[in-house]
Amino acid sequence: MAAGLPEGIAYFPDYFDRQAQLALVDDIRAAIGQAPLFVPCMPRTGKPMQVRMSNCGPLGWVTDKARGYRYQATHPDTRLHWPPIPERLIDLWQSVSNCPQLPEACLINYYKDTAKMGLHQDRDEAEFEAPVVSVSLGDDCLFRIGETSQGGPTRSMRLRSGDVIVLGGPSRLRFHGVDRIYPATSTLLKDGGRINLTLRRVSKMNV
Ligand code: MD3
Ligand code: FE
């Protein structure tokens, strides 16, 4: 893959300063107090994923053996509605997404130091015109991004706490994943690990 970022990807290293990162962690701790992290399982096989998840917003991404990948308004265990998306994440979306409508889902991924996420596409949304906005908090990770089809060349980037990356336009359907976490590279989270937040539009936007 060529040097420079592919069209549709905007990278904002260190978008959030330490104080803003700590405030975001407080927001996320409050959210997972309401909507506890759960272990997502693969469709059909039921194999547990390595990442623990929760959501905030009107819709949340969930997956299990029986019903597969989907968005739903409620937590799979508590059956309660997800808590609202924190204000500072709405502000982020409005600053960087170039999308006129609000995000509907904020997926919270928590990686312990050995967790990873295989290459995949994000295609459970009905709207691909809107970008995905990602925030990294805590330990560094090695992020990998490929083409819009499987098996092409990939490139890797190290994402650090406070970084924001926007994936839109022709890059919205690129394969991507997290190859590894670099343990103890950040002091933000008292028990270490990495949190990734992804803001998404799920339903079709009115034209
Ligand atoms: C590139 N999360 O939750 S965020 C996911 O760091 C996910 O937890 C990773 O992939 C994480 O689905 C990566 C960055 C990201 C998100 C969506 C994308 C990159 C993307 C969509 C298209 C291309
Ligand atoms: Fe993804």
Side-chain angles (χ1 to χ4, degrees):
M1 206 179 288
L5 287 174
E7 188 184 349
I9 302 186
Y11 177 47
F12 302 91
D14 228 6
Y15 183 94
F16 290 109
D17 65 17
R18 178 78 178 192
Q19 185 188 329
Q21 291 172 43
L22 288 166
L24 272 171
V25 172
D26 282 349
D27 290 343
I28 297 310
R29 287 198 199 286
I32 65 183
Q34 302 289 119
L37 291 167
F38 60 91
V39 178
C41 293
M42 301 293 286
R44 295 180 301 278
T45 62
K47 187 178 189 289
M49 294 174 63
Q50 295 183 24
V51 172
R52 294 205 291 155
M53 292 183 174
S54 190
N55 292 271
C56 34
L59 291 170
W61 189 85
V62 300
T63 174
D64 57 37
K65 180 176 179 166
R67 296 173 64 198
Y69 303 148
R70 65 201 186 271
Y71 282 92
Q72 64 181 41
T74 55
H75 190 285
D77 302 328
T78 69
R79 303 188 188 182
L80 297 172
H81 285 272
W82 306 104
I85 298 176
E87 192 70 34
R88 74 187 86 245
L89 292 173
I90 299 289
D91 293 346
L92 168 67
W93 176 269
Q94 291 179 329
S95 302
V96 303
S97 76
N98 200 25
C99 175
Q101 299 199 16
L102 290 173
E104 296 171 295
C106 175
L107 175 62
I108 301 165
N109 290 330
Y110 175 67
Y111 297 78
K112 281 195 187 300
D113 59 11
T114 57
K116 46 198 195 291
M117 185 184 284
L119 276 183
H120 65 277
Q121 284 176 302
D122 289 12
R123 49 183 323 142
D124 302 315
E125 302 76 26
E127 182 58 86
F128 296 140
E129 291 302 315
V132 175
V133 174
S134 151
V135 183
S136 293
L137 295 169
D139 288 337
D140 297 358
C141 79
L142 188 63
F143 174 68
R144 186 204 292 256
I145 185 151
E147 304 285 325
T148 54
S149 59
Q150 210 156 11
T154 65
R155 67 146 72 192
S156 295
M157 293 171 67
R158 189 160 171 143
L159 295 178
R160 296 176 176 80
S161 195
D163 290 358
V164 167
I165 185 163
V166 181
L167 302 305
S171 290
R172 173 66 180 75
L173 289 172
R174 284 181 185 271
F175 279 82
H176 59 279
V178 173
D179 285 346
R180 64 164 297 187
I181 303 299
Y182 295 95
T185 46
S186 166
T187 56
L188 188 73
L189 304 176
K190 69 173 180 341
D191 296 323
R194 171 175 183 265
I195 294 171
N196 179 261
L197 308 173
T198 47
L199 295 162
R200 298 143 193 249
R201 186 74 211 173
V202 177
S203 41
K204 278 281 192 195
M205 296 189 282
N206 315 309
V207 281

